[in-house]
Amino acid sequence: MALLGIKHYPDEVLLKVGKPVDSEEFQNGLAKLVEDMFETMYHSEGVGLAAPQVGESKRLFVMDCSGGEDRSRKFAVINPEIVRVDGEQYGDEGCLSFPGIYTKVQREMSAVVRFQDISGEMQEEEFTELEARCFLHETDHCDGIVFLDRMSALKREMAKRKIRKLRRTGEWD
Ligand code: NI
């Protein structure tokens, strides 16, 4: 396993729509990429990490909102689809591509989703609360959308100002 470098906003790979993972890729290095992404996510104490964040413009991400405590909450999500969403939640959100930025973001409270697992099997799950927030955030990454785009205009301006300052002082690369 290897730790991967995490791309920070505004790296262009974060703003591009990811390519669907095709059946050939499942045979070809996908398991290694997923393992490395899990290791990188746990190392950085994140609960989700999407392929574009490690420079791969693909529709895939890893998530584990139990922080490695519960194997049943560990998901490799390939070619995610949101089937249905319901309700609302308003809570703190962060992103490994935005180190030090935590902001309240509105999301749906639950999501019925479909995706392929690492063996290519189609899975359907219903996620709620933090897991729903995480799944929606990571699926956004696969679509080239970052959480900045989901903030209120005021919070987005505050976050941008903070990022500009950190970039100026060399604390953000
Ligand atoms: Ni993120």
Side-chain angles (χ1 to χ4, degrees), residues 14 48-50 53 93-98 107 134 137-138 141 145-147:
L14 295 171
L49 181 68
Q53 294 182 274
E93 201 165 308
C95 178
L96 294 176
S97 294
F98 290 78
R107 297 274 183 187
C134 185
H137 176 120
E138 301 309 330
H141 275 304
I145 296 167
V146 292
F147 84 141

mmCIF file of all heavy atoms in Angstrom, residues 14 48-50 53 93-98 107 134 137-138 141 145-147, ligand 1:
data_model
loop_
_atom_site.group_PDB
_atom_site.id
_atom_site.type_symbol
_atom_site.label_atom_id
_atom_site.label_comp_id
_atom_site.label_asym_id
_atom_site.label_seq_id
_atom_site.Cartn_x
_atom_site.Cartn_y
_atom_site.Cartn_z
ATOM 1 N N LEU A 14 -9.922 18.637 -9.804
ATOM 2 C CA LEU A 14 -11.073 18.681 -8.880
ATOM 3 C C LEU A 14 -12.304 19.300 -9.536
ATOM 4 O O LEU A 14 -13.413 19.157 -9.019
ATOM 5 C CB LEU A 14 -10.717 19.505 -7.637
ATOM 6 C CG LEU A 14 -9.613 18.936 -6.750
ATOM 7 C CD1 LEU A 14 -9.225 19.962 -5.691
ATOM 8 C CD2 LEU A 14 -10.072 17.639 -6.098
ATOM 9 N N GLY A 48 -14.126 10.269 3.814
ATOM 10 C CA GLY A 48 -14.346 9.966 2.399
ATOM 11 C C GLY A 48 -13.224 10.537 1.565
ATOM 12 O O GLY A 48 -12.599 11.531 1.956
ATOM 13 N N LEU A 49 -12.930 9.878 0.447
ATOM 14 C CA LEU A 49 -11.891 10.379 -0.466
ATOM 15 C C LEU A 49 -12.249 9.913 -1.874
ATOM 16 O O LEU A 49 -12.467 8.723 -2.101
ATOM 17 C CB LEU A 49 -10.512 9.835 -0.057
ATOM 18 C CG LEU A 49 -9.323 10.286 -0.909
ATOM 19 C CD1 LEU A 49 -9.035 11.781 -0.729
ATOM 20 C CD2 LEU A 49 -8.060 9.481 -0.556
ATOM 21 N N ALA A 50 -12.303 10.865 -2.798
ATOM 22 C CA ALA A 50 -12.692 10.548 -4.176
ATOM 23 C C ALA A 50 -11.469 10.549 -5.089
ATOM 24 O O ALA A 50 -10.487 11.260 -4.842
ATOM 25 C CB ALA A 50 -13.712 11.574 -4.669
ATOM 26 N N GLN A 53 -9.494 13.592 -6.153
ATOM 27 C CA GLN A 53 -8.669 14.204 -5.103
ATOM 28 C C GLN A 53 -7.251 13.656 -5.072
ATOM 29 O O GLN A 53 -6.364 14.249 -4.473
ATOM 30 C CB GLN A 53 -9.307 13.998 -3.726
ATOM 31 C CG GLN A 53 -10.632 14.724 -3.571
ATOM 32 C CD GLN A 53 -11.192 14.527 -2.192
ATOM 33 O OE1 GLN A 53 -11.875 13.551 -1.929
ATOM 34 N NE2 GLN A 53 -10.884 15.437 -1.278
ATOM 35 N N GLU A 93 -19.163 20.544 7.505
ATOM 36 C CA GLU A 93 -18.568 19.690 6.492
ATOM 37 C C GLU A 93 -17.144 20.161 6.241
ATOM 38 O O GLU A 93 -16.844 21.347 6.293
ATOM 39 C CB GLU A 93 -19.420 19.800 5.214
ATOM 40 C CG GLU A 93 -19.240 18.654 4.274
ATOM 41 C CD GLU A 93 -20.358 18.606 3.216
ATOM 42 O OE1 GLU A 93 -21.556 18.638 3.569
ATOM 43 O OE2 GLU A 93 -20.003 18.536 2.037
ATOM 44 N N GLY A 94 -16.267 19.190 5.977
ATOM 45 C CA GLY A 94 -14.897 19.502 5.596
ATOM 46 C C GLY A 94 -14.535 18.689 4.373
ATOM 47 O O GLY A 94 -15.343 17.900 3.876
ATOM 48 N N CYS A 95 -13.315 18.881 3.866
ATOM 49 C CA CYS A 95 -12.883 18.179 2.656
ATOM 50 C C CYS A 95 -11.362 18.132 2.672
ATOM 51 O O CYS A 95 -10.716 19.143 2.962
ATOM 52 C CB CYS A 95 -13.372 18.932 1.425
ATOM 53 S SG CYS A 95 -12.858 18.179 -0.125
ATOM 54 N N LEU A 96 -10.792 16.972 2.379
ATOM 55 C CA LEU A 96 -9.329 16.845 2.421
ATOM 56 C C LEU A 96 -8.648 17.728 1.370
ATOM 57 O O LEU A 96 -7.462 18.017 1.496
ATOM 58 C CB LEU A 96 -8.909 15.380 2.246
ATOM 59 C CG LEU A 96 -9.324 14.450 3.404
ATOM 60 C CD1 LEU A 96 -8.952 13.007 3.100
ATOM 61 C CD2 LEU A 96 -8.685 14.897 4.726
ATOM 62 N N SER A 97 -9.400 18.184 0.370
ATOM 63 C CA SER A 97 -8.834 19.093 -0.635
ATOM 64 C C SER A 97 -8.923 20.555 -0.204
ATOM 65 O O SER A 97 -8.474 21.444 -0.926
ATOM 66 C CB SER A 97 -9.541 18.902 -1.985
ATOM 67 O OG SER A 97 -9.263 17.607 -2.480
ATOM 68 N N PHE A 98 -9.530 20.782 0.984
ATOM 69 C CA PHE A 98 -9.667 22.132 1.560
ATOM 70 C C PHE A 98 -9.193 22.100 3.014
ATOM 71 O O PHE A 98 -10.004 22.252 3.930
ATOM 72 C CB PHE A 98 -11.131 22.584 1.521
ATOM 73 C CG PHE A 98 -11.681 22.875 0.157
ATOM 74 C CD1 PHE A 98 -12.063 21.833 -0.684
ATOM 75 C CD2 PHE A 98 -11.830 24.178 -0.295
ATOM 76 C CE1 PHE A 98 -12.592 22.102 -1.944
ATOM 77 C CE2 PHE A 98 -12.360 24.453 -1.548
ATOM 78 C CZ PHE A 98 -12.735 23.417 -2.380
ATOM 79 N N ARG A 107 -27.483 19.669 3.120
ATOM 80 C CA ARG A 107 -27.543 18.455 2.292
ATOM 81 C C ARG A 107 -28.873 17.750 2.571
ATOM 82 O O ARG A 107 -29.535 18.043 3.561
ATOM 83 C CB ARG A 107 -26.426 17.473 2.671
ATOM 84 C CG ARG A 107 -25.025 17.961 2.465
ATOM 85 C CD ARG A 107 -24.548 17.726 1.057
ATOM 86 N NE ARG A 107 -23.149 18.149 0.914
ATOM 87 C CZ ARG A 107 -22.522 18.186 -0.259
ATOM 88 N NH1 ARG A 107 -23.115 17.801 -1.371
ATOM 89 N NH2 ARG A 107 -21.268 18.605 -0.315
ATOM 90 N N CYS A 134 -21.785 12.317 3.412
ATOM 91 C CA CYS A 134 -20.506 11.885 2.832
ATOM 92 C C CYS A 134 -20.700 11.370 1.405
ATOM 93 O O CYS A 134 -19.967 11.753 0.486
ATOM 94 C CB CYS A 134 -19.897 10.818 3.739
ATOM 95 S SG CYS A 134 -18.265 10.295 3.218
ATOM 96 N N HIS A 137 -21.360 14.280 -0.907
ATOM 97 C CA HIS A 137 -20.135 15.084 -1.077
ATOM 98 C C HIS A 137 -19.171 14.386 -2.043
ATOM 99 O O HIS A 137 -18.628 15.019 -2.957
ATOM 100 C CB HIS A 137 -19.502 15.285 0.312
ATOM 101 C CG HIS A 137 -18.191 16.005 0.320
ATOM 102 N ND1 HIS A 137 -17.995 17.196 0.991
ATOM 103 C CD2 HIS A 137 -16.988 15.702 -0.232
ATOM 104 C CE1 HIS A 137 -16.734 17.590 0.834
ATOM 105 N NE2 HIS A 137 -16.101 16.693 0.100
ATOM 106 N N GLU A 138 -18.978 13.078 -1.847
ATOM 107 C CA GLU A 138 -18.014 12.350 -2.690
ATOM 108 C C GLU A 138 -18.540 12.171 -4.120
ATOM 109 O O GLU A 138 -17.757 12.225 -5.078
ATOM 110 C CB GLU A 138 -17.678 10.989 -2.073
ATOM 111 C CG GLU A 138 -17.083 11.040 -0.667
ATOM 112 C CD GLU A 138 -15.896 11.974 -0.517
ATOM 113 O OE1 GLU A 138 -15.142 12.182 -1.491
ATOM 114 O OE2 GLU A 138 -15.725 12.530 0.590
ATOM 115 N N HIS A 141 -17.714 15.161 -5.994
ATOM 116 C CA HIS A 141 -16.329 15.161 -6.499
ATOM 117 C C HIS A 141 -16.254 14.442 -7.853
ATOM 118 O O HIS A 141 -15.511 14.867 -8.738
ATOM 119 C CB HIS A 141 -15.386 14.437 -5.521
ATOM 120 C CG HIS A 141 -14.869 15.293 -4.406
ATOM 121 N ND1 HIS A 141 -14.186 16.477 -4.618
ATOM 122 C CD2 HIS A 141 -14.906 15.135 -3.062
ATOM 123 C CE1 HIS A 141 -13.835 17.003 -3.441
ATOM 124 N NE2 HIS A 141 -14.269 16.206 -2.481
ATOM 125 N N ILE A 145 -17.689 18.767 -8.817
ATOM 126 C CA ILE A 145 -18.295 19.771 -7.926
ATOM 127 C C ILE A 145 -17.609 19.685 -6.568
ATOM 128 O O ILE A 145 -17.426 18.582 -6.035
ATOM 129 C CB ILE A 145 -19.813 19.500 -7.776
ATOM 130 C CG1 ILE A 145 -20.511 19.669 -9.137
ATOM 131 C CG2 ILE A 145 -20.443 20.403 -6.723
ATOM 132 C CD1 ILE A 145 -21.933 19.135 -9.171
ATOM 133 N N VAL A 146 -17.206 20.824 -6.024
ATOM 134 C CA VAL A 146 -16.579 20.842 -4.702
ATOM 135 C C VAL A 146 -17.520 21.487 -3.686
ATOM 136 O O VAL A 146 -18.467 22.176 -4.077
ATOM 137 C CB VAL A 146 -15.216 21.568 -4.726
ATOM 138 C CG1 VAL A 146 -14.197 20.764 -5.520
ATOM 139 C CG2 VAL A 146 -15.347 22.973 -5.281
ATOM 140 N N PHE A 147 -17.258 21.257 -2.403
ATOM 141 C CA PHE A 147 -18.257 21.691 -1.404
ATOM 142 C C PHE A 147 -18.411 23.209 -1.317
ATOM 143 O O PHE A 147 -19.430 23.701 -0.858
ATOM 144 C CB PHE A 147 -18.071 20.993 -0.057
ATOM 145 C CG PHE A 147 -17.068 21.564 0.910
ATOM 146 C CD1 PHE A 147 -17.343 21.588 2.278
ATOM 147 C CD2 PHE A 147 -15.847 22.023 0.491
ATOM 148 C CE1 PHE A 147 -16.439 22.076 3.196
ATOM 149 C CE2 PHE A 147 -14.922 22.507 1.400
ATOM 150 C CZ PHE A 147 -15.220 22.548 2.753
HETATM 151 NI NI NI B 1 -14.105 16.392 -0.420
#
